[in-house]
Amino acid sequence: MSRQDWKFRLNVLLVLGVLAAAFVWFVLRFELNYEFVLEKFPMLLGLELTPEGFLQGVPLTLFLCACSMALSVLLGMASALGRLSRNPVFFGVATFYNSFFKGTPLLVQILLIYLGLPQLGPVPDAIPSGIIALSLCYGAYLSEVFRSAILSVNRGQWEAGKALGLKHNAILRLIIIPQAMRVAIPPSGSLFISMLKDSSLVSVMGLWEIMFLAQSYGRSSYRYMEMLLAAAFIYWVLSIVLELIQARLEKRHNRSLQH
């Protein structure tokens, strides 16, 4: 490593140290009750179950996000292929889906699913409602990510696949999508981090996730700032973990393409 690189890293560490000290000073100005935070922190982390024996706090938040991420990827890919299709039905459905779920607030979508579906017959529980809402919303955003990534692959790759005698679906699955993922991973990772934070909106349905617990404990004891800062810290740490996973996936995918 060159001297210039060492100097750059040292300056970055210095800046981070100053910002960390400023943040600590900011937090200390609130004169928080740290004993109260330590008392409630295990519940936020989900180290204890709810009185009914269900998950709460971090585990419930991660469960909601994991299920929503998987479904949103499937919806996003299907919608992206629909937007690239020359079939008017597929194109029309995908366009309407993207327009509605990107054009309305996530909170409204959660309430429409949780409160609106029972009036039509189905009565979904809070957890499925939250997963469906998060999946539909972020599937629409991922659709544009995947569509752009697919279009970024050189048209010559399609011609090469046809020259090998591959059909359209095989070219897409074996050649185009693997190359498109290199472009799609960074923005997809950012969307998943946003989903993690937006999962706090499902607290309006009474799910005992991080934000619901923080609000409940803060309201009952008038210790709002303690609980909000504790929740913010947890979301921050989880976001950092997702960023590290994203960086590892990018590195691994780039390495596999090089080989």
Side-chain angles (χ1 to χ4, degrees):
M1 186 179 296
S2 65
R3 182 177 179 181
Q4 186 176 3
D5 291 335
W6 276 110
K7 185 177 180 180
F8 173 78
R9 291 196 173 191
L10 184 61
N11 288 334
V12 169
L13 290 175
L14 180 61
V15 171
L16 292 176
V18 171
L19 292 175
F23 181 74
V24 171
W25 173 84
F26 171 77
V27 172
L28 292 177
R29 295 281 293 177
F30 290 107
E31 298 182 355
L32 305 178
N33 185 338
Y34 297 103
E35 292 184 1
F36 180 78
V37 175
L38 292 175
E39 177 187 347
K40 301 300 182 182
F41 210 65
M43 274 73 84
L44 294 180
L45 293 178
L47 300 180
E48 300 180 13
L49 299 177
T50 65
E52 292 78 18
F54 296 121
L55 294 176
Q56 66 175 337
V58 172
L60 180 56
T61 296
L62 293 179
F63 175 77
L64 290 170
C65 289
C67 294
S68 301
M69 286 177 187
L71 288 176
S72 64
V73 168
L74 296 177
L75 287 170
M77 184 58 70
S79 180
L81 296 177
R83 293 272 290 163
L84 293 171
S85 173
R86 300 303 300 171
N87 185 303
V89 175
F90 293 160
F91 183 84
V93 171
T95 300
F96 178 83
Y97 163 69
N98 280 16
S99 176
F100 180 81
F101 284 98
K102 289 196 302 182
T104 55
L106 176 56
L107 181 58
V108 173
Q109 296 167 20
I110 291 173
L111 294 176
L112 283 175
I113 292 171
Y114 186 58
L115 301 178
L117 285 181
Q119 300 186 35
L120 301 178
V123 184
D125 292 332
I127 290 180
S129 297
I131 293 173
I132 291 171
L134 289 170
S135 302
L136 288 171
C137 179
Y138 278 91
Y141 288 102
L142 284 171
S143 170
E144 290 304 302
V145 171
F146 294 155
R147 186 179 70 88
S148 301
I150 291 172
L151 291 176
S152 71
V153 179
N154 193 291
R155 288 295 303 178
Q157 299 295 316
W158 288 95
E159 301 301 328
K162 292 177 182 178
L164 293 173
L166 297 176
K167 295 182 179 180
H168 182 275
N169 290 340
I171 296 173
L172 188 66
R173 186 179 72 256
L174 299 176
I175 299 175
I176 303 302
I177 290 180
Q179 296 183 63
M181 285 302 100
R182 179 171 57 180
V183 179
I185 287 176
S188 298
S190 298
L191 286 175
F192 289 148
I193 292 173
S194 296
M195 178 191 290
L196 171 69
K197 295 179 292 185
D198 282 347
S199 66
S200 62
L201 294 175
V202 303
S203 62
V204 299
M205 297 185 293
L207 288 177
W208 290 38
E209 45 76 63
I210 299 172
M211 198 61 200
F212 178 85
L213 293 176
Q215 290 178 318
S216 299
Y217 294 139
R219 187 184 305 113
S220 62
S221 58
Y222 299 98
R223 293 290 181 180
Y224 290 103
M225 194 56 61
E226 283 88 340
M227 288 294 94
L228 290 178
L229 285 173
F233 176 77
I234 293 174
Y235 281 116
W236 189 10
V237 171
L238 293 177
S239 297
I240 292 174
V241 172
L242 286 180
E243 289 175 3
L244 294 175
I245 294 174
Q246 173 190 332
R248 187 172 182 84
L249 286 175
E250 289 182 41
K251 186 176 180 179
R252 182 176 180 180
H253 193 76
N254 290 335
R255 190 188 305 121
S256 65
L257 287 179
Q258 291 173 359
H259 294 296

